[in-house]
Amino acid sequence: GRPAGRRDGGGLGPADGAAPGGSATDGAAQDSPVRRGPAKDGAAQNGEGGRAGTGWTDGRAGTGRPAGGAARDLLPAEPVPVVEGDPLRVAFELLYRRLPPARARLLRMLTLAPGQLADLRTASALVGCPAPEAGEALERLVGQELLERAPAAPDGTARYRVPGRLHPRLVELREEQDRPAEVELARARLLERLVRLVDSARMLLDPAAGPNPDPLPGPLRLRSAAQAAGWLLAEREQLLGAVASAIGEGDLDGSAGRLVTALLRALPLTGAAAPADLYRLHGSVLRVAERQGAPRRAAAALLNLADLQAAAGHWELAEEHYRQATDRAREAGDEPGCARAMEGAGNCRRALGDPVRAGDWYGRALSLRQGLADHPAEARLLARLAEAHVGQRRFEEAVREYRAAAAVLRRLGDARGQALVGGALERLQARLVQEGNSPIAE
């Protein structure tokens, strides 16, 4: 059987020659810029089994140095390249070569982690291994100073960061040693893991929302609503960064879209979702929809962006997005979406004090709603159109639209709506009397 504590070289745990106790600073102390090669490990690293001339020599017989040799004979036959003034880089290269292949691959794949922060949840997804095995490997990499500890997640899960000084070199190694298809698969696994985590957090915050996602394995689970909210808020930037990175690459739109949907459902449940975050997410939906030539989805994203801008009082920007949504909805043959966008544009012009253009938008939306037999929307738009007429002092047209709205609401049996429209009509008639005009007759 195997000796206790030993694993095969393909695992993430320790292996022969892995030097689990070695660290980058230990290596740096042994490999300074003055030395041109390793004192003990040159032969092993070159796979030459201690052949004469591959290590350091001291001039004694049997060391491989010819008698009376020049000073250059003190150098190893095949020196390890050293970057002057960067002993840590040399130490890293030596340590990296000694890592078991699977652990070296994990270190390379951690450069794909959002925000360069990883835990056993994301690390296990990146390399496709069980979470406990990933957690053990992460701890060993910390011991070798190839990873740094980061503040723990709100549920206490340890988190790690690739040191900034090592990140560029690890990216180079990933590009040299990992096939593009393997990297894409790792990114896809990570995105799907994030989707499941966000969905599980949503279910803890709103158990009745549904649909229920498949439960995560025990080591990956969030345990309570408080942990779920804390995790979502603490990981918000990393999650948004994962979306932006995936959409920027353009090869995993399906997974990226599922993560966007999960975040749009979950973040508002925390009670601290920033409108800017929602704006970024809907912007991501728009980018994917336009890239895929999906005008209906693009129209929906533009409507959501416009609604967020309108809620913030950015009326001109909102109207522009409503205009764009109108065009995309018309392209998709989506009449309800087109009517919604037109009504939104009318609301913007109304807020900007422009009753003429507001009335134009409302009139166009009204025609679509009447054609769709959408009577509640028809009544609402008739009342809005009446307000636009009042703003233009076209009082007879305003009274006519108010009365038409009241008639639609009466057929619908909407007593509250009738009362609101009746009140608006009474205020208009009273205004006419105050201005010395006669009320407009039935």
Side-chain angles (χ1 to χ4, degrees):
R2 293 185 195 144
R6 177 176 171 181
R7 298 187 182 181
D8 294 335
L12 289 172
D16 292 343
S23 69
T25 51
D26 292 338
Q30 297 172 10
D31 294 275
S32 70
V34 176
R35 280 170 51 174
R36 300 298 184 92
K40 298 179 181 179
D41 299 317
Q45 291 299 318
N46 288 311
E48 296 181 5
R51 188 178 64 191
T54 60
W56 289 96
T57 58
D58 58 7
R60 290 177 295 180
T63 61
R65 177 178 180 243
R72 58 184 167 80
D73 293 326
L74 294 175
L75 300 177
E78 297 179 5
V80 176
V82 175
V83 178
E84 290 295 331
D86 191 1
L88 286 175
R89 171 69 177 266
V90 181
F92 165 73
E93 297 289 345
L94 293 174
L95 280 172
Y96 177 80
R97 291 176 203 160
R98 297 171 187 165
L99 290 175
R103 203 184 305 165
R105 177 170 172 263
L106 170 63
L107 190 57
R108 297 193 303 272
M109 291 301 173
L110 288 178
T111 59
L112 300 171
Q116 306 312 315
L117 284 173
D119 58 15
L120 56 80
R121 296 178 174 115
T122 51
S124 60
L126 283 167
V127 295
C129 76
E133 189 173 340
E136 180 184 350
L138 291 167
E139 283 295 320
R140 291 188 176 278
L141 290 169
V142 168
Q144 293 176 286
E145 299 181 15
L146 296 174
L147 283 183
E148 297 173 344
R149 291 192 188 280
D155 65 337
T157 301
R159 295 197 301 175
Y160 309 85
R161 178 183 290 108
V162 175
R165 66 183 183 277
L166 302 183
H167 187 269
R169 178 56 180 150
L170 285 170
V171 171
E172 291 176 357
L173 289 167
R174 189 191 75 214
E175 293 173 348
E176 293 168 3
Q177 299 179 23
D178 298 294
R179 296 194 302 271
E182 293 174 335
V183 174
E184 182 178 331
L185 179 60
R187 292 173 47 239
R189 281 196 305 260
L190 175 62
L191 288 172
E192 294 300 334
R193 172 66 52 80
L194 294 177
V195 171
R196 291 187 67 189
L197 284 165
V198 173
D199 278 342
S200 67
R202 174 180 56 82
M203 286 305 302
L204 287 168
L205 291 167
D206 186 8
N212 295 329
D214 293 334
L216 288 162
L220 304 179
R221 290 179 192 168
L222 300 163
R223 302 294 175 180
S224 66
Q227 282 187 2
W231 181 83
L232 280 169
L233 294 175
E235 301 293 322
R236 180 169 57 190
E237 281 303 319
Q238 284 71 44
L239 292 166
L240 293 171
V243 169
S245 176
I247 290 176
E249 292 287 341
D251 55 352
L252 295 171
D253 284 348
S255 295
R258 284 188 288 277
L259 182 54
V260 169
T261 299
L263 287 169
L264 287 171
R265 291 173 177 169
L267 283 177
L269 298 175
T270 65
D277 295 340
L278 303 179
Y279 193 88
R280 287 168 65 180
L281 289 169
H282 288 303
S284 297
V285 174
L286 175 62
R287 184 173 175 184
V288 171
E290 290 183 335
R291 183 160 62 210
Q292 295 180 341
R296 187 181 293 268
R297 289 174 56 200
L302 285 163
L303 283 169
N304 287 319
L305 291 170
D307 289 344
L308 287 169
Q309 289 167 332
H314 301 151
W315 303 112
E316 292 89 349
L317 291 173
E319 184 189 10
E320 179 56 31
H321 276 100
Y322 283 128
R323 286 177 178 271
Q324 293 175 20
T326 300
D327 293 338
R328 297 294 190 281
R330 186 180 291 117
E331 181 183 349
D334 180 5
E335 290 192 349
C338 197
R340 184 182 179 297
M342 289 176 174
E343 183 175 355
N347 291 338
C348 291
R349 297 317 306 179
R350 174 173 173 261
L352 290 167
D354 184 355
V356 175
R357 294 170 71 183
D360 179 61
W361 281 115
Y362 289 143
R364 294 164 64 187
L366 175 62
S367 296
L368 286 174
R369 293 296 189 186
Q370 288 173 329
L372 294 166
D374 185 347
H375 300 304
E378 178 187 2
R380 183 180 64 250
L381 284 162
L382 284 165
R384 291 294 192 198
L385 190 55
E387 293 174 5
H389 288 319
V390 171
Q392 301 173 64
R393 300 188 63 82
R394 297 168 60 178
F395 299 125
E396 290 188 5
E397 291 91 335
V399 169
R400 183 183 66 239
E401 305 298 359
Y402 276 134
R403 288 173 176 164
V408 174
L409 292 166
R410 190 180 306 113
R411 291 196 298 272
L412 292 172
D414 185 348
R416 182 175 178 275
Q418 283 182 263
L420 290 173
V421 170
L425 183 55
E426 288 176 4
R427 288 191 296 274
L428 175 57
Q429 297 282 29
R431 175 180 172 180
L432 291 173
V433 172
Q434 289 174 353
E435 293 180 359
N437 298 311
S438 300
I440 298 175
E442 293 286 341

